[in-house]
Amino acid sequence: KKLLLSVSDLMLTGEQIPLVTVEQTIREALFEITAKGLGMVGVVNAEQQLAGIFTDGDLRRILDQRIDIHDTPIGQVMTQNPKVIDDNWLAFDALKLMKAKSINGLFVLNGNTVVGAFNMHTLLQAGVY
């Protein structure tokens, strides 16, 4: 039964999805990461399409560059073209992708619209491994 769980059964949706706009600061993105608890934030453009992602790991890398987190827009330091999946994926297949790409979280799209997000802990808690 656990092998047939879909991503849409497990993902966070609506206000639970960690999202900021490309214009918001790194500091604002960090607050969103902390508030939503997935260790990542999606960065959306003016059309509300996913333009990039920013993770805890990205934060560690930019701290070495002495970038001002209070003034720098997240759009300048985000990872563009992140790995994403469609909402019809099986959770087990999402886990295989995450392992293969060494990533801890994914955003879920329906077309170009972000409809959900989850991380490795979400899958493990659901018994997907």
Side-chain angles (χ1 to χ4, degrees):
K1 180 178 175 183
K2 291 179 183 175
L3 291 177
L4 298 178
L5 280 173
S6 87
V7 167
S8 60
D9 295 327
L10 304 174
M11 67 187 185
L12 298 178
T13 60
E15 292 296 315
Q16 298 173 311
I17 304 170
L19 293 174
V20 295
T21 64
V22 291
E23 297 87 17
Q24 287 182 270
T25 65
I26 297 169
R27 180 177 183 268
E28 292 170 309
L30 293 176
F31 282 128
E32 185 73 357
I33 290 172
T34 302
K36 303 299 171 70
L38 289 183
M40 64 180 185
V41 65
V43 184
V44 294
N45 60 22
E47 292 78 36
Q48 295 301 304
Q49 296 171 336
L50 192 66
I53 187 173
F54 188 80
T55 68
D56 289 343
D58 294 326
L59 173 62
R60 287 188 288 279
R61 286 184 281 280
I62 68 158
L63 287 177
D64 285 342
Q65 300 171 26
R66 299 182 187 262
I67 293 173
D68 183 354
I69 66 168
H70 300 282
D71 292 326
T72 306
I74 195 70
Q76 290 183 15
V77 295
M78 70 183 182
T79 299
Q80 296 180 17
N81 303 313
K83 297 288 180 222
V84 296
I85 59 173
D86 292 329
D87 58 353
N88 61 358
W89 275 49
L90 292 177
F92 183 74
D93 292 329
L95 176 63
K96 288 193 311 190
L97 173 68
M98 293 167 74
K99 285 181 177 180
K101 299 296 181 181
S102 298
I103 54 178
N104 290 317
L106 285 168
F107 283 92
V108 182
L109 304 183
N110 183 322
N112 290 327
T113 304
V114 178
V115 295
F118 65 94
N119 65 12
M120 190 68 74
H121 297 291
T122 309
L123 298 176
L124 294 176
Q125 286 175 338
V128 179
Y129 47 86

